[in-house]
Amino acid sequence: MSHVDVHKFHYAVVSKIPESFARNAHIVNKNIPIDLNLATRQHDEYVDVLRRLGIDILELPPDERHPECVFVADVAVVINGTALICKPSDRRIGETSIVRNSLRNDLGLRIVEVDNDQAKLEGTDVLFTGKEIIVGLGNYTNKEGAQCVAKAFPEYAVTIVRLPQEVRHLQQVMSVAGPDVIVVIRGKIGQECLQEMVSRATYAYKVMRVDELDAANVLYVNGLILHLDHKAIPESFPIWEAKFDNRLGLDYSELLKAGSYLTAGAILISKPSNYNKTFQTSLEKGHHEL
């Protein structure tokens, strides 16, 4: 296995937001409408931050047939140059084709397919810590899906965490906030998931607890922690302020209304040391400091 700095990312696959997003995305509270223009601006800022971190962006066109196509990380899991194409819910299965083609043709990644008809698998149920893979079993991922993850990435141990019914995805309640650091939601739900992970995981991690559910989902990208802004997580925001200097709060309010998370907006890809594909980087285009 080639050495890879697992928290150093060179490429990201993202998708533009279709107009159908505001009308037909899975909205958590149907009494609160989505502002499409604001959602687009928020997502553009999200992508711009990734660019400023030196990540080259592959932006897919909006797919009006699939209003949730902006949440690309549900569709593929990429580790060490291998891309496992997931098997999301029926309403989203059509999103896999364009993501598969981009990962294979634009980035030259090795593609692995889910080969079990009984499998359910969405990428935000898969958490790669850098040392092992945690898979949440719940509404969108089952045991057969977890087995496909283990088969695709045999170099890593796979740990299973059973999710409570009210949890949509594993990354809603826990995510990676740094090397060997896991951030988890406080309370019964987070504690149950954490205890199950700790009892089964191969490695030990430092644990950071936050108060709101959405606060437990962060992106640790090229040395920077991306988390939600103070409007979204007023109780947890001071925790981030007190504990970390290498962080940035983002306004993601409209995309949160569709029941998604920061980690769902991009498939982040590290370049293996033996990766020879020529690709112009964001640094070559002009890198702007945060």
Side-chain angles (χ1 to χ4, degrees):
M1 180 175 62
S2 302
H3 173 73
V4 178
D5 180 353
V6 296
H7 301 296
K8 172 67 176 178
F9 299 101
H10 301 84
Y11 310 113
V13 176
V14 303
S15 173
K16 285 186 172 294
I17 298 179
E19 292 185 6
S20 59
F21 177 75
R23 301 188 305 272
N24 299 319
H26 176 70
I27 300 174
V28 176
N29 186 343
K30 294 187 181 299
N31 295 321
I32 304 177
I34 292 175
D35 183 328
L36 181 62
N37 290 331
L38 180 55
T40 300
R41 292 197 301 272
Q42 290 173 348
H43 187 257
D44 287 347
E45 173 60 21
Y46 171 93
V47 173
D48 190 52
V49 168
L50 297 180
R51 280 199 183 95
R52 284 156 32 206
L53 287 169
I55 295 176
D56 195 41
I57 303 296
L58 292 171
E59 191 166 53
L60 305 177
D63 186 347
E64 296 298 338
R65 300 167 302 168
H66 298 104
E68 294 160 305
C69 64
V70 65
F71 305 130
V72 290
D74 283 327
V75 179
V77 176
V78 177
I79 300 173
N80 289 355
T82 293
L84 172 62
I85 306 303
C86 297
K87 191 177 178 183
S89 58
D90 290 344
R91 74 175 187 276
R92 300 190 61 192
I93 195 68
E95 298 172 28
T96 59
S97 178
I98 189 171
V99 171
R100 178 189 295 107
N101 289 340
S102 181
L103 294 174
R104 178 170 51 206
N105 300 332
D106 294 327
L107 287 171
L109 300 184
R110 172 177 173 261
I111 302 297
V112 176
E113 304 286 349
V114 168
D115 58 1
N116 187 326
D117 291 339
Q118 303 303 312
K120 297 194 300 180
L121 177 64
E122 293 200 357
T124 47
D125 276 324
V126 180
L127 185 65
F128 179 49
T129 70
K131 293 182 175 179
E132 63 187 316
I133 302 171
I134 315 297
V135 180
L137 303 188
N139 297 314
Y140 299 101
T141 296
N142 60 11
K143 179 181 68 175
E144 290 79 10
Q147 290 169 345
C148 291
V149 173
K151 184 177 178 181
F153 308 106
E155 65 269 41
Y156 292 105
V158 172
T159 296
I160 300 301
V161 173
R162 290 171 301 227
L163 301 177
Q165 181 66 31
E166 60 266 38
V167 173
R168 295 189 300 276
H169 295 95
L170 175 68
Q171 292 182 27
Q172 185 185 17
V173 295
M174 67 173 63
S175 56
V176 173
D180 301 328
V181 179
I182 301 291
V183 57
V184 182
I185 177 68
R186 293 186 200 273
K188 182 175 181 291
I189 291 175
Q191 190 61 29
E192 288 178 356
C193 293
L194 179 63
Q195 286 179 344
E196 189 163 0
M197 187 202 80
V198 169
S199 69
R200 299 182 179 188
T202 305
Y203 297 91
Y205 301 95
K206 300 174 185 176
V207 176
M208 175 182 167
R209 290 176 172 82
V210 291
D211 294 312
E212 295 103 331
L213 192 61
D214 290 328
N217 179 263
V218 304
L219 275 176
Y220 180 64
V221 183
N222 296 359
L224 188 72
I225 301 168
L226 303 180
H227 59 83
L228 295 176
D229 67 3
H230 67 281
K231 293 180 292 184
I233 52 169
E235 295 179 20
S236 299
F237 191 82
I239 299 174
W240 290 112
E241 282 189 309
K243 290 183 177 291
F244 297 96
D245 295 323
N246 59 325
R247 57 164 194 84
L248 180 67
L250 295 177
D251 185 356
Y252 214 60
S253 62
E254 300 309 298
L255 294 103
L256 292 177
K257 291 177 182 178
S260 197
Y261 336 100
L262 289 172
T263 53
I267 302 171
L268 296 171
I269 301 160
S270 299
K271 180 170 63 176
S273 58
N274 62 349
Y275 187 69
N276 297 318
K277 189 173 181 66
T278 301
F279 210 86
Q280 184 185 21
T281 68
S282 295
L283 287 172
E284 292 167 342
K285 296 173 183 175
H287 176 51
H288 301 284
E289 295 297 330
L290 291 169

